Amino acid sequence: MDDDKFLPKLSQNLLEILNDEEFYDITIEVGSDPYVKVFRAHMVILNYRSPYLRRILSTNKKKNDEILTHIKLPNISPDFFHILLRYIYGGRLSLEEYDISDIIKILVIANELSLQELIPYMESFLIENKKNWMEQNFELIYQISFGNDSFSELQKYCADFISKGPEKIFNSPNFSTFPERLLITLIQNDNLQMKEIEVWEHVIKWGLAQNPELSSDPTSFSKDDFNALKNTLHHCIPFIRFRNLTSREFLMKVKSYKKILPKELYNDLLNYFLDNDSKESLPRISISKQKSILEINRVTNSDNESQEYISFISGRLMGYANNLLNKQKVLTNKIKNIDSKIITSQHAEIISKWIGRLEITDKLTTSYEFKLLYRDSRDGSSVGIKRFKKFHKNYILDQPHTVTLVKVEGSNEILGGYNPIGWDFDSDYGITKDSFIFSFDNENIENYILSRVKNEKEAISRIVRYNGTGPSFGNNDLRLYQSLDGSLRINCKGTTDNKDSAYEKRISTIDVPSTFLEFELFRIDI
């Protein structure tokens, strides 16, 4: 006998109970003025079918002198609550009966009521049957899916759509209204099948749309205009891969916006493009063998833009050559390419010299490789106080010779520290005489602070093994953590007079815990 054949009858009987006017023991007031509706229900069914309602009922238990329990749900639509209440009783929900916008609302309320078994069913229905609508309303789907960690299937759909069809998002008529988080997700995607110059142009387009008072012509910008655009795009700029541009693209499309770039980054790019003016413009990946080698725009004497380009190159070459002759801190090619969104190879060379206890003017005699172990924007979790979940894996905590790098929000500072022994020890502190912490001015690499350990016994702070704790040096000399409200914090105050600090001096003027934008951890291989 097929036991499932009796389930339809059971479902029908339970729905009849919902309509019963005699044996109900709870009333639920749903909605807010002017639309409020009262539903009759049964506590025993609600208690076992909805964890959310169970929690409410546990704090609203019926007193002996009361006839009914009464609860209020003012933030839920009565119409959609009625749909889900029928599902709670009868286990039935036919999505084909509803408009797509209503299905989205039902999904959100189902999650609020903790009807977890219903969520993957609704996600699959949307993905399999409403693809066109979801593409046209991708911004809404993205915001809903990443606004709550329960919608894992929609999150996978969004990630896959971004990877395979970024041009659809960039070219959407609603592109300018997309949230910053979505834009950053797009531009940091390693699989974008687009030229980097197209990515840059879309980022500028988005930035201008957030500042409608700005002209589309940067040559007419005032200082305040540049500052406004810089503040709008300062989270996005680190993810633009400027070195994938051609020299010509850099000149014609980026140079006019140089004031929105960090000064040190712009100077580094200027030197890079002056070193070789025939670099190809590359996509993030090779689309096919036929498209793997892109055509380079040739410079011709009859092209006015090319004349400007040649003039630009000629005027800069002399200053660039003199700068190289006068600078003692010239790269020695001992630093391999560094995969960082916070520092350049010039920063890496200076850090390497500090590790080797060399003077800044000394030349490196050893080749250092910075191997990326952890990047917050890539590896950080968005689930509760679990931001550093992957960082807490043993293979990271027990790694010796690591460099921590942090970009602070609302500051030009880059903060960091060198840990030669790892964080995997049982005592409160790890002992070493070789650790140090440091800071750089993001706009001028020559402005830095190096602070070596002075109290070897408190050099490295033990990582408490819960997911809200990140790298820590000394007695709050440099500490990363996630606060209870979920925000990412950095503390580098130490003690006011530096008397009890484990390091020689403070590396920042930050007096209270601040928010950080990006955090990276590298292992140094020699």
Side-chain angles (χ1 to χ4, degrees):
M1 181 181 292
D2 187 359
D3 295 338
D4 291 345
K5 66 183 293 184
F6 300 111
L7 292 180
K9 181 61 176 177
L10 175 61
S11 175
Q12 182 60 37
N13 291 153
L14 288 171
L15 286 172
E16 291 171 357
I17 292 175
L18 176 60
N19 296 325
D20 177 77
E21 297 183 359
E22 182 177 358
F23 296 107
Y24 65 91
D25 55 4
I26 181 175
T27 55
I28 309 171
E29 184 178 320
V30 183
S32 56
D33 289 334
Y35 186 30
V36 178
K37 189 173 182 179
V38 177
F39 296 86
R40 297 187 295 265
H42 306 78
M43 287 192 291
V44 65
I45 293 179
L46 301 182
N47 184 68
Y48 284 97
R49 291 286 284 157
S50 170
Y52 174 81
L53 294 175
R54 182 188 307 153
R55 288 193 297 271
I56 294 179
L57 292 172
S58 67
T59 59
N60 290 271
K61 291 184 178 179
K62 182 172 63 174
K63 297 179 181 179
N64 293 332
D65 59 346
E66 290 182 345
I67 299 175
L68 294 174
T69 295
H70 183 76
I71 62 175
K72 296 181 179 181
L73 302 176
N75 297 322
I76 295 179
S77 163
D79 292 338
F80 297 119
F81 181 78
H82 179 247
I83 293 170
L84 289 172
L85 188 60
R86 289 181 59 82
Y87 166 77
I88 288 173
Y89 274 74
R92 294 179 180 179
L93 181 61
S94 179
L95 296 178
E96 290 83 359
E97 299 176 4
Y98 304 105
D99 293 336
I100 181 68
S101 58
D102 289 343
I103 294 175
I104 296 296
K105 294 174 184 177
I106 294 171
L107 173 65
V108 172
I109 297 174
N111 179 65
E112 185 173 343
L113 296 176
S114 300
L115 303 177
Q116 297 303 319
E117 78 282 1
L118 187 57
I119 291 174
Y121 164 73
M122 298 187 69
E123 288 180 301
S124 297
F125 178 85
L126 289 170
I127 293 171
E128 294 172 7
N129 300 283
K130 304 296 180 180
K131 282 187 176 181
N132 291 337
W133 187 94
M134 291 175 67
E135 288 185 10
Q136 295 171 6
N137 296 272
F138 182 78
E139 177 190 2
L140 173 64
I141 298 299
Y142 178 89
Q143 290 180 324
I144 290 173
S145 62
F146 286 94
N148 193 297
D149 288 318
S150 297
F151 303 138
S152 58
E153 293 303 316
L154 287 182
Q155 289 180 1
K156 291 179 183 178
Y157 164 82
C158 289
D160 186 61
F161 184 77
I162 289 172
S163 177
K164 294 181 178 179
E167 67 284 348
K168 294 182 180 179
I169 304 174
F170 278 127
N171 296 325
S172 166
N174 299 321
F175 172 72
S176 61
T177 65
F178 284 0
E180 180 188 58
R181 180 179 178 181
L182 173 55
L183 179 63
I184 291 176
T185 300
L186 281 169
I187 62 179
Q188 70 178 352
N189 190 331
D190 290 331
N191 294 321
L192 276 183
Q193 298 182 8
M194 301 177 67
K195 291 182 178 180
E196 200 68 29
I197 190 59
E198 295 174 336
V199 177
W200 167 252
E201 289 175 333
H202 278 96
V203 168
I204 292 295
K205 175 183 176 182
W206 183 88
L208 293 175
Q210 312 315 304
N211 299 274
E213 72 281 1
L214 297 184
S215 166
S216 59
D217 180 10
T219 61
S220 65
F221 278 15
S222 65
K223 181 179 180 180
D224 290 341
D225 292 340
F226 278 114
N227 286 337
L229 188 59
K230 181 177 182 179
N231 291 335
T232 299
L233 297 178
H234 79 284
H235 288 163
C236 302
I237 295 297
F239 299 105
I240 302 295
R241 304 176 190 187
F242 291 102
R243 296 196 179 200
N244 282 356
L245 304 176
T246 65
S247 298
R248 181 182 176 83
E249 288 169 342
F250 177 76
L251 169 65
M252 305 311 300
K253 301 293 186 178
V254 178
K255 178 176 175 289
S256 56
Y257 288 100
K258 69 177 183 179
K259 291 183 180 180
I260 73 171
L261 304 180
K263 182 178 179 181
E264 191 275 331
L265 170 62
Y266 179 77
N267 289 337
D268 180 67
L269 291 172
L270 190 63
N271 292 342
Y272 173 78
F273 287 113
L274 285 171
D275 182 53
N276 183 355
D277 64 355
S278 63
K279 294 181 175 70
E280 295 183 0
S281 175
L282 301 175
R284 298 289 176 93
I285 62 172
S286 296
I287 300 174
S288 66
K289 291 182 179 180
Q290 290 77 18
K291 297 182 179 180
S292 62
I293 301 178
L294 302 177
E295 290 296 328
I296 303 173
N297 293 324
R298 297 294 182 180
V299 177
T300 62
N301 292 331
S302 60
D303 190 340
N304 291 332
E305 290 182 352
S306 299
Q307 293 300 320
E308 181 182 350
Y309 173 67
I310 294 170
S311 176
F312 169 77
I313 293 295
S314 300
R316 291 286 185 173
L317 278 176
M318 184 60 71
Y320 176 58
N322 290 336
N323 186 46
L324 287 178
L325 291 173
N326 294 329
K327 270 194 172 183
Q328 292 180 321
K329 291 182 287 184
V330 179
L331 289 176
T332 62
N333 294 324
K334 293 295 183 180
I335 301 295
K336 298 181 180 180
N337 290 334
I338 178 169
D339 177 19
S340 174
K341 298 185 181 300
I342 300 178
I343 65 171
T344 67
S345 56
Q346 290 174 299
H347 295 94
E349 184 192 23
I350 293 176
I351 295 170
S352 299
K353 290 180 179 179
W354 290 337
I355 294 173
R357 293 187 178 273
L358 300 174
E359 297 295 329
I360 294 300
T361 54
D362 293 339
K363 289 187 177 182
L364 284 175
T365 58
T366 306
S367 178
Y368 290 83
E369 180 179 1
F370 283 61
K371 183 176 181 180
L372 182 65
L373 298 179
Y374 181 96
R375 174 175 290 141
D376 181 69
S377 61
R378 182 191 70 182
D379 304 312
S381 172
S382 60
V383 181
I385 310 299
K386 296 182 179 181
R387 188 71 180 196
F388 301 106
K389 182 178 180 180
K390 289 187 179 180
F391 173 77
H392 280 233
K393 290 185 177 179
N394 287 335
Y395 80 89
I396 290 183
L397 288 186
D398 64 6
Q399 292 288 327
H401 307 294
T402 60
V403 169
T404 297
L405 297 170
V406 188
K407 182 69 180 73
V408 184
E409 183 175 21
S411 169
N412 288 327
E413 292 177 314
I414 296 173
L415 306 180
Y418 171 63
N419 177 0
I421 61 174
W423 280 278
D424 191 19
F425 43 82
D426 296 327
S427 58
D428 289 336
Y429 292 97
I431 302 173
T432 176
K433 64 180 180 179
D434 296 320
S435 65
F436 57 83
I437 56 178
F438 57 87
S439 65
F440 286 102
D441 184 332
N442 195 38
E443 294 185 353
N444 187 351
I445 195 172
E446 296 180 0
N447 291 338
Y448 57 80
I449 297 175
L450 170 63
S451 180
R452 293 194 179 275
V453 64
K454 65 177 183 179
N455 182 356
E456 300 174 11
K457 295 182 180 180
E458 296 183 356
I460 308 297
S461 304
R462 179 170 66 92
I463 298 296
V464 179
R465 287 185 177 272
Y466 80 92
N467 292 327
T469 306
S472 299
F473 294 78
N475 181 17
N476 278 335
D477 293 271
L478 179 64
R479 175 178 173 238
L480 274 67
Y481 64 98
Q482 187 175 17
S483 63
L484 293 177
D485 65 2
S487 58
L488 304 175
R489 298 293 186 182
I490 180 169
N491 191 346
C492 56
K493 184 175 181 179
T495 56
T496 303
D497 58 4
N498 211 46
K499 180 179 179 181
D500 298 325
S501 298
Y503 289 80
E504 295 173 339
K505 49 193 171 184
R506 290 179 62 180
I507 58 173
S508 175
T509 58
I510 295 175
D511 289 323
V512 295
S514 297
T515 303
F516 66 85
L517 299 175
E518 184 65 283
F519 149 51
E520 296 175 336
L521 185 76
F522 290 87
R523 188 182 72 220
I524 309 301
D525 293 338
I526 303 175

